[in-house]
């Protein structure tokens, strides 16, 4: 089997590439290196003993995207990660987000529909906004997202659904990720944000190692047991495995499947303070933090109902929160050792 991974050197794309290579799948990895590093290829090689075929490519470049599919004529499926993902930046530069996340997707879809190549799309629980019922099921009505980034995921999903309706033979799976954290157990690849991290766990590990003076906990008076927000933190290795299961499910399933949506989370909600406490316990490090105002656009609580993916694909998260935080910490120490 030959799979094209877009955004293949990014955080989730690199972990999925490792699992694909380990299961004997050939990988063509493309990336524009906008928010990733070429050294990730070396990390992938160190783990798997193999290097994916790599092409420096930006999906916004339609002609080059067409050329890619002329060069590789036997692609069995595409896993599409290539997208911007910073909520704050999307509020400042909306067009950058629409042009990249939607423009790139459309260029890709034109080819996939024409060639009937199945697609796995990287979506997000951000499409639910603050859901009125927890845990969140896939058929929960979507609310207007709080950022252009969120809109690109909602609109992206809609475009793919429309394409599946219109093009017989084209099928897709939309994976709505909850909060991916952690790193490969080898600490050879992991999340490597450029600039100041926007997400909790990289900010936490950078604070613990001394790169940041203090972690701000956004909001302490939410209507939750300890007053801080609740999320469903999923180990990136579990999330990566969900892509492997999805690609086999998509390729082997009967023709009736056209477009299916699956939540990917653990099914458990954990508060910000619980994350900090768990981290301190496993690393024996104390993390300086202080409470600050709630962050604009944050929802109070979100965790997944994962029955659908479990029943249909047999997928279930295996790693604990502690495993994920330990791997994130090992990775942070590795980054520090190298710099
Ligand atoms: C965010 C995005 C979401 C995106 C996901 C990608 C928002 C509103 N949502 O999810 O659309 O798909 O990242 O990974 O930004 N927190 C702190 N201090 C920090 C950072 C975060 O207290 O320095 C808190 C947040 O308030 C939140 C929790 O930690 O309650 C998790 O935050 P984060 O890791 O940024 O993820 P989300 O906001 O859930």
């Amino acid at each position: 089997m030959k799979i094209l991974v877009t955004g293949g050197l990014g955080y989730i794309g690199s972990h999925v590439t490792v699992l694909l290579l380990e299961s004997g799948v050939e990988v063509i990895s493309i990336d524009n290196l906008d928010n990733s590093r070429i050294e990730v290829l070396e990390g992938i090689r160190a783990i798997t003993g193999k290097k994916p075929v790599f092409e420096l490519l930006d999906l916004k470049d339609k002609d080059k995207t067409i050329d890619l599919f002329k060069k590789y004529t036997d692609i069995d499926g595409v896993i599409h990660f290539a997208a911007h993902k910073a909520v704050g930046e999307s509020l400042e530069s909306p067009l950058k987000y629409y042009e990249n996340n939607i423009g790139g997707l459309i260029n890709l879809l034109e080819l996939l529909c024409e060639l009937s190549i199945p697609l796995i799309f990287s979506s997000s629980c951000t499409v639910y906004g603050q859901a009125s019922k927890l845990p969140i099921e896939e058929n929960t009505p979507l609310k207007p997202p709080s950022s252009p980034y969120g809109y690109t995921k909602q609109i992206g999903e809609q475009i793919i659904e429309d394409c599946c309706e219109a093009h017989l033979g084209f099928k897709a799976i939309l994976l709505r990720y909850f909060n991916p954290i952690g790193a490969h157990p080898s600490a050879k690849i992991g999340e490597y944000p450029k600039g100041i991290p926007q997400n909790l766990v990289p900010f936490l590990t950078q604070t613990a190692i001394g790169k940041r003076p203090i972690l701000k906990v956004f909001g302490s008076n939410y209507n939750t047991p300890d007053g801080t927000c609740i999320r469903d933190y999923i180990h990136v290795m579990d999330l990566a495995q969900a892509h492997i299961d999805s690609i086999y499910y998509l390729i082997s399933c009967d023709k009736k499947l056209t477009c299916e949506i699956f939540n990917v989370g653990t099914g458990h909600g954990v508060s910000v303070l619980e994350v900090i406490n768990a981290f301190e316990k496993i690393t024996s490090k104390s993390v300086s933090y202080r409470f600050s105002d709630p962050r604009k656009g944050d929802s109070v609580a979100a965790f997944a109902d994962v029955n659908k993916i479990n029943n249909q694909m047999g997928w279930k998260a295996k790693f604990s929160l502690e495993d994920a935080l330990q791997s994130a910490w090992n990775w942070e120490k590795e980054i520090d050792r190298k710099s």
Side-chain angles (χ1 to χ4, degrees), residues 36-277:
S36 60
R37 294 167 164 84
I38 195 73
E39 301 85 82
V40 173
L41 273 178
E42 196 40 52
I44 293 171
R45 196 205 52 77
I47 297 168
T48 63
K50 300 173 195 170
K51 252 189 189 173
V53 173
F54 178 72
E55 301 274 356
L56 182 65
L57 182 86
D58 192 325
L59 289 172
K60 293 198 292 299
D61 189 329
K62 192 170 177 173
D63 291 338
K64 290 213 172 111
T65 306
I66 293 171
D67 289 346
L68 180 86
F69 281 81
K70 282 189 185 146
K71 186 169 171 188
Y72 302 100
T73 51
D74 49 358
I75 295 170
D76 297 297
V78 174
I79 310 182
H80 178 49
F81 297 104
H84 296 317
K85 60 163 196 171
V87 172
E89 185 191 45
S90 79
L91 289 160
E92 283 157 25
S93 312
L95 290 178
K96 178 176 169 181
Y97 275 67
Y98 288 112
E99 187 191 20
N100 186 61
N101 295 9
I102 301 297
L105 174 66
I106 290 174
N107 287 343
L108 182 65
L109 281 171
E110 280 182 7
L111 289 149
L112 302 191
C113 291
E114 186 191 319
L115 302 167
S116 294
I117 299 175
L119 169 72
I120 311 282
F121 177 65
S122 152
S123 189
S124 163
C125 65
T126 195
V127 299
Y128 295 116
Q130 177 56 67
S132 29
K133 193 172 144 267
L134 293 168
I136 304 174
E137 292 169 13
E138 286 85 353
N139 57 13
T140 300
L142 305 187
K143 297 221 172 115
S146 59
S147 70
Y149 160 75
Y151 274 106
T152 67
K153 292 296 172 191
Q154 260 193 19
I155 297 165
E157 285 193 358
Q158 185 62 55
I159 294 172
I160 296 167
E161 285 176 332
D162 292 344
C163 288
C164 289
E165 276 288 314
H167 296 272
L168 213 69
F170 172 62
K171 48 189 183 175
I173 284 182
L174 316 178
L175 294 180
R176 290 181 179 158
Y177 314 152
F178 280 68
N179 287 61
I181 60 166
H184 191 273
S186 66
K188 292 190 191 310
I189 55 170
E191 188 171 13
Y192 203 156
K194 286 187 174 168
I196 301 171
Q198 304 300 310
N199 296 114
L200 177 63
V201 171
F203 206 106
L204 173 66
T205 53
Q206 288 197 7
T207 308
I209 211 142
K211 273 190 199 150
R212 310 270 157 212
I214 195 157
L215 168 71
K216 286 188 205 164
V217 173
F218 299 134
S220 56
N221 282 317
Y222 284 107
N223 185 18
T224 60
D226 66 18
T228 64
C229 291
I230 289 176
R231 295 287 184 275
D232 184 339
Y233 296 94
I234 174 168
H235 196 306
V236 68
M237 294 303 293
D238 276 327
L239 178 60
Q241 185 60 45
H243 291 78
I244 311 302
D245 294 355
S246 297
I247 202 90
Y248 283 107
Y249 180 81
L250 188 56
I251 287 174
S252 64
C253 68
D254 64 41
K255 289 208 170 60
K256 273 184 276 169
L257 183 152
T258 51
C259 190
E260 283 244 30
I261 299 172
F262 294 95
N263 285 338
V264 196
T266 65
H268 303 293
V270 175
S271 76
V272 176
L273 285 184
E274 284 172 328
V275 171
I276 298 172
N277 291 339

Side-chain angles (χ1 to χ4, degrees), residues 287-309:
V287 178
S288 348
Y289 70 88
R290 71 173 167 83
F291 291 112
S292 77
D293 290 340
R295 183 170 66 179
K296 199 170 156 265
D298 265 348
S299 62
V300 183
F303 53 95
D305 182 311
V306 284
N307 283 314
K308 185 175 177 194
I309 191 165

